[in-house]
Amino acid sequence: ILMDCEMPVMDGFMTTKLVRSSAFRDIPIIGITATLMDVDKCLPAGMNSRLIKPCTHQQLQKMIECTMLRAKIPLKLSKPSD
Protein backbone atom coordinates (compact mmCIF):
# COMPACT_ATOMS: atom_id res chain seq x y z
CA ILE A 1 0.00 0.00 0.00
CA LEU A 2 1.27 3.49 -0.84
CA MET A 3 -0.21 5.49 2.04
CA ASP A 4 -0.50 9.26 1.72
CA CYS A 5 0.13 10.63 5.20
CA GLU A 6 -1.87 13.83 4.61
CA MET A 7 -5.25 12.55 3.47
CA PRO A 8 -8.40 14.50 4.36
CA VAL A 9 -10.81 13.18 7.01
CA MET A 10 -8.55 10.35 8.23
CA ASP A 11 -4.79 10.79 7.83
CA GLY A 12 -2.45 8.02 6.74
CA PHE A 13 -1.23 7.38 10.29
CA MET A 14 -4.70 6.55 11.62
CA THR A 15 -5.52 4.60 8.46
CA THR A 16 -2.33 2.53 8.91
CA LYS A 17 -3.27 1.75 12.51
CA LEU A 18 -6.68 0.54 11.31
CA VAL A 19 -5.10 -1.64 8.62
CA ARG A 20 -2.70 -3.11 11.20
CA SER A 21 -5.64 -4.02 13.45
CA SER A 22 -7.47 -5.78 10.59
CA ALA A 23 -7.04 -9.05 8.74
CA PHE A 24 -4.52 -7.25 6.49
CA ARG A 25 -2.09 -6.48 9.32
CA ASP A 26 0.91 -7.98 7.48
CA ILE A 27 0.49 -6.12 4.20
CA PRO A 28 3.46 -3.80 3.48
CA ILE A 29 2.68 -0.09 3.79
CA ILE A 30 4.93 2.68 2.46
CA GLY A 31 4.16 6.13 3.83
CA ILE A 32 4.34 8.97 1.31
CA THR A 33 4.67 12.49 2.69
CA ALA A 34 5.69 15.95 1.54
CA THR A 35 6.32 17.10 5.11
CA LEU A 36 9.67 16.29 6.64
CA MET A 37 8.10 16.40 10.12
CA ASP A 38 5.77 13.50 9.20
CA VAL A 39 8.67 11.19 8.30
CA ASP A 40 9.36 10.39 11.97
CA LYS A 41 5.69 9.42 12.50
CA CYS A 42 5.57 6.77 9.77
CA LEU A 43 7.34 3.84 11.43
CA PRO A 44 5.70 4.28 14.87
CA ALA A 45 2.30 4.33 13.12
CA GLY A 46 3.04 0.87 11.68
CA MET A 47 4.30 1.71 8.19
CA ASN A 48 7.12 -0.45 6.87
CA SER A 49 8.92 2.37 5.03
CA ARG A 50 8.54 6.02 4.15
CA LEU A 51 9.31 8.22 1.18
CA ILE A 52 9.36 11.98 0.87
CA LYS A 53 7.70 13.51 -2.18
CA PRO A 54 8.43 14.63 -4.72
CA CYS A 55 10.40 11.53 -5.60
CA THR A 56 11.61 10.03 -8.83
CA HIS A 57 10.24 6.89 -10.43
CA GLN A 58 13.54 5.19 -9.60
CA GLN A 59 13.32 6.15 -5.91
CA LEU A 60 9.76 4.84 -5.69
CA GLN A 61 10.68 1.59 -7.46
CA LYS A 62 13.69 1.06 -5.17
CA MET A 63 11.56 1.69 -2.06
CA ILE A 64 8.93 -0.80 -3.23
CA GLU A 65 11.61 -3.41 -3.99
CA CYS A 66 13.30 -2.96 -0.60
CA THR A 67 10.02 -3.03 1.32
CA MET A 68 8.83 -6.16 -0.48
CA LEU A 69 12.16 -7.93 0.11
CA ARG A 70 12.09 -7.11 3.83
CA ALA A 71 8.53 -8.44 3.98
CA LYS A 72 9.69 -11.59 2.14
CA ILE A 73 7.15 -11.11 -0.61
CA PRO A 74 8.19 -12.28 -4.11
CA LEU A 75 8.46 -9.39 -6.50
CA LYS A 76 8.18 -9.53 -10.27
CA LEU A 77 8.89 -6.20 -11.92
CA SER A 78 8.79 -5.53 -15.61
CA LYS A 79 10.74 -2.72 -17.17
CA PRO A 80 8.67 0.02 -18.80
CA SER A 81 8.63 -0.19 -22.57
CA ASP A 82 10.24 2.64 -24.48
Side-chain angles (χ1 to χ4, degrees):
I1 297 174
L2 293 176
M3 183 69 70
D4 190 341
C5 296
E6 297 294 323
M7 298 185 297
V9 183
M10 183 183 299
D11 65 28
F13 308 108
M14 180 58 69
T15 305
T16 297
K17 289 177 183 177
L18 288 174
V19 170
R20 293 295 180 224
S21 67
S22 74
F24 301 103
R25 66 182 166 271
D26 295 327
I27 193 164
I29 300 174
I30 300 172
I32 306 289
T33 180
T35 308
L36 192 56
M37 294 184 317
D38 283 347
V39 170
D40 292 335
K41 298 179 188 176
C42 292
L43 299 181
M47 297 177 190
N48 299 83
S49 307
R50 66 256 195 243
L51 193 60
I52 298 173
K53 50 184 181 178
C55 63
T56 65
H57 174 265
Q58 291 82 11
Q59 290 170 319
L60 177 60
Q61 182 173 343
K62 183 71 173 170
M63 181 60 66
I64 292 170
E65 289 172 0
C66 290
T67 301
M68 299 295 278
L69 285 172
R70 280 191 300 247
K72 298 184 172 128
I73 297 174
L75 185 63
K76 294 180 183 176
L77 292 177
S78 59
K79 293 190 178 212
S81 57
D82 293 325

